């Protein structure tokens, strides 16, 4: 593992490099390719020689949230974007942002020490946005660091929480969403990924969960009904699963049955908009 880069961030970078070198790629991530070339050149050669479907779900997830971010920050739309647990994410560089877009990347200090060095080695063109890094630990109070970096809680925000929450406990996961909700001005939007609670009970997931525990990156939380959970934080959520996404066509992405079928491991890909307290109460009454 590269100093300062968690095994999770390294794994995601390898997955995005594998997608980038495919002829039918869903996105291109040159930073992930550079990272993999520098840290594991034989692995990158393997990806080039034999495209693998083992990262298809991650590729679909990445493209889904790429599309969410670009739609939210489209012409005349929002300009303040926050990527929580950014890792080696290179969206600030690889996506085409409208003028005036400001992106805050929040992650651990040691991650940024490694990432900034990697960016210099990669020699990528300057991003079309203003990029600001925020060294902070999401398991602790992180809002002060975000504000100090120039974040304006009075400006509508595009949030992205990808590949994070299931590594946190339920209390920590809820605290992250509660904090970002408190920092959100009207018209803010949220992109979020989480798994369901049945993930931890499904027999075919046990080997994977054990592997993640042994690797030091255990999954610890999930949510059964994401719409209700986020409504409690004033978000009106739209929830899909990876197999519902257009990019999943022709990829090895498991299809899941209808949501009323219990005992199925699911990944929630969520987009949501902030609603007023009165709107949220009305939605809750209609659901009841």
């Amino acid at each position: 593992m590269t100093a300062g880069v968690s095994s999770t961030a390294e794994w995601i970078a390898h997955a995005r490099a594998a997608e980038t070198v495919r002829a039918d790629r869903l996105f291109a991530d040159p930073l992930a390719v550079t990272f993999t070339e520098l840290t594991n050149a034989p692995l990158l050669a393997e990806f080039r020689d034999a495209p693998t479907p083992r990262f298809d779900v991650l590729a679909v997830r990445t493209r889904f949230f790429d599309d969410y971010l670009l739609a939210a920050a489209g012409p005349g739309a929002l300009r303040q974007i926050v990527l929580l647990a950014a890792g080696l994410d290179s969206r600030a560089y690889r996506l085409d942002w409208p003028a005036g877009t400001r992106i805050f990347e929040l992650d651990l200090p040691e991650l940024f020490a490694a990432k900034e060095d990697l960016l210099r080695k990669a020699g990528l063109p300057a991003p079309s946005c203003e990029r600001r890094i925020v060294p902070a630990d999401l398991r602790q109070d992180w809002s002060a660091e975000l504000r100090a970096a120039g974040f304006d809680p009075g400006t509508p925000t595009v949030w992205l929480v990808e590949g994070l929450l299931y590594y946190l406990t339920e209390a920590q996961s809820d605290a992250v969403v509660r904090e970002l909700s408190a920092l959100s001005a009207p018209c803010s939007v949220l992109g979020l990924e989480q798994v369901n609670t049945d993930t931890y009970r499904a027999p075919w997931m046990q080997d994977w969960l054990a592997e993640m525990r042994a690797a030091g990156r255990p999954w610890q939380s999930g949510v059964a009904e994401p719409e209700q959970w986020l409504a409690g934080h004033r978000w009106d959520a739209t929830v899909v699963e990876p197999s519902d996404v257009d990019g999943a066509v022709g990829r090895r992405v498991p299809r899941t049955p209808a949501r009323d079928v219990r005992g199925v491991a699911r990944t929630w890909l969520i987009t949501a908009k902030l609603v007023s307290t009165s709107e949220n109460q009305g939605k809750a009454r209609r659901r009841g």
Side-chain angles (χ1 to χ4, degrees), residues 125-140:
S128 58
C129 65
E130 178 186 354
R131 173 178 176 261
R132 296 191 179 186
I133 63 172
V134 185
D137 190 336
L138 285 165
R139 296 165 297 183
Q140 301 173 9

Side-chain angles (χ1 to χ4, degrees), residues 28-31 83 88-97 103 105 115-116 118-120 122-133:
D29 189 339
L31 186 66
L83 310 181
L88 296 177
D89 189 291
S90 67
R91 288 184 172 102
Y93 292 84
R94 66 179 181 80
L95 298 182
D96 187 16
W97 301 104
I103 294 181
E105 296 184 9
K115 184 174 183 177
E116 300 313 291
L118 176 63
L119 285 167
R120 286 189 289 272
L124 299 180
S128 58
C129 65
E130 178 186 354
R131 173 178 176 261
R132 296 191 179 186
I133 63 172

Side-chain angles (χ1 to χ4, degrees), residues 1 28 65-66 73 78 85 109 115 134 139 161 164 167 178 193 243-244 285:
M1 187 171 66
F65 286 122
D66 280 0
L78 309 186
K115 184 174 183 177
V134 185
R139 296 165 297 183
V161 189
L164 168 68
Y167 292 109
R178 183 170 58 250
E193 179 202 16
S243 60
D244 300 325
R285 284 195 296 270

Side-chain angles (χ1 to χ4, degrees), residues 50 55 72 79 85 92 112 119 160 162 177 228 232 241-242 272 281 286-287:
F55 299 121
R79 293 291 176 266
F112 283 119
L119 285 167
L160 179 59
E162 178 188 21
V177 176
Q228 294 179 17
E241 297 179 58
Q281 290 172 343
R286 289 194 292 275
R287 289 190 181 103

Side-chain angles (χ1 to χ4, degrees), residues 62-251:
T62 298
R63 177 58 186 268
F64 176 83
F65 286 122
D66 280 0
D67 292 344
Y68 150 76
L69 289 169
L70 290 176
L78 309 186
R79 293 291 176 266
Q80 180 168 258
I81 299 174
V82 180
L83 310 181
L84 297 184
L88 296 177
D89 189 291
S90 67
R91 288 184 172 102
Y93 292 84
R94 66 179 181 80
L95 298 182
D96 187 16
W97 301 104
T101 301
R102 176 180 291 176
I103 294 181
F104 296 87
E105 296 184 9
L106 193 150
D107 213 311
L108 296 170
E110 56 268 28
L111 182 283
F112 283 119
K115 184 174 183 177
E116 300 313 291
D117 182 58
L118 176 63
L119 285 167
R120 286 189 289 272
K121 291 176 180 176
L124 299 180
S128 58
C129 65
E130 178 186 354
R131 173 178 176 261
R132 296 191 179 186
I133 63 172
V134 185
D137 190 336
L138 285 165
R139 296 165 297 183
Q140 301 173 9
D141 180 17
W142 48 272
S143 62
E145 285 88 347
L146 184 59
R147 289 171 184 262
F151 173 84
D152 179 9
T155 297
T157 301
V158 182
W159 298 94
L160 179 59
V161 189
E162 178 188 21
L164 168 68
L165 295 184
Y166 33 76
Y167 292 109
L168 305 179
T169 65
E170 289 189 11
Q172 291 170 335
S173 172
D174 204 60
V176 167
V177 176
R178 183 170 58 250
E179 187 65 28
L180 71 83
S181 301
L183 292 169
S184 295
C187 299
S188 292
V189 295
L190 170 64
L192 182 147
E193 179 202 16
Q194 181 58 297
V195 298
N196 69 338
T197 49
D198 280 344
T199 292
Y200 298 93
R201 293 186 285 269
W204 55 90
M205 287 295 297
Q206 298 314 303
D207 288 346
W208 166 259
L209 294 170
E211 180 182 328
M212 297 300 281
R213 287 193 298 272
R217 47 179 190 266
W219 287 16
Q220 303 186 85
S221 67
V223 58
E225 299 295 339
E227 294 92 346
Q228 294 179 17
W229 172 55
L230 288 170
H233 292 286
R234 298 188 299 121
W235 296 97
D236 180 22
T238 299
V239 181
V240 299
E241 297 179 58
S243 60
D244 300 325
V245 179
D246 290 343
V249 176
R251 295 301 186 99

Side-chain angles (χ1 to χ4, degrees), residues 5-74:
V5 179
S6 70
S7 58
T8 301
E10 186 172 284
W11 178 58
I12 296 299
H14 289 164
R16 289 178 173 165
E19 182 66 21
T20 300
V21 299
R22 289 179 61 140
D24 61 344
R25 60 181 175 264
L26 297 176
F27 59 86
D29 189 339
L31 186 66
V33 172
T34 297
F35 174 79
T36 306
E37 188 171 31
L38 291 173
T39 60
N40 196 334
L43 181 63
L44 184 62
E46 179 184 325
F47 291 156
R48 293 186 189 277
D49 293 340
T52 174
R54 63 182 165 141
F55 299 121
D56 278 359
V57 171
L58 290 172
V60 168
R61 182 189 81 179
T62 298
R63 177 58 186 268
F64 176 83
F65 286 122
D66 280 0
D67 292 344
Y68 150 76
L69 289 169
L70 290 176

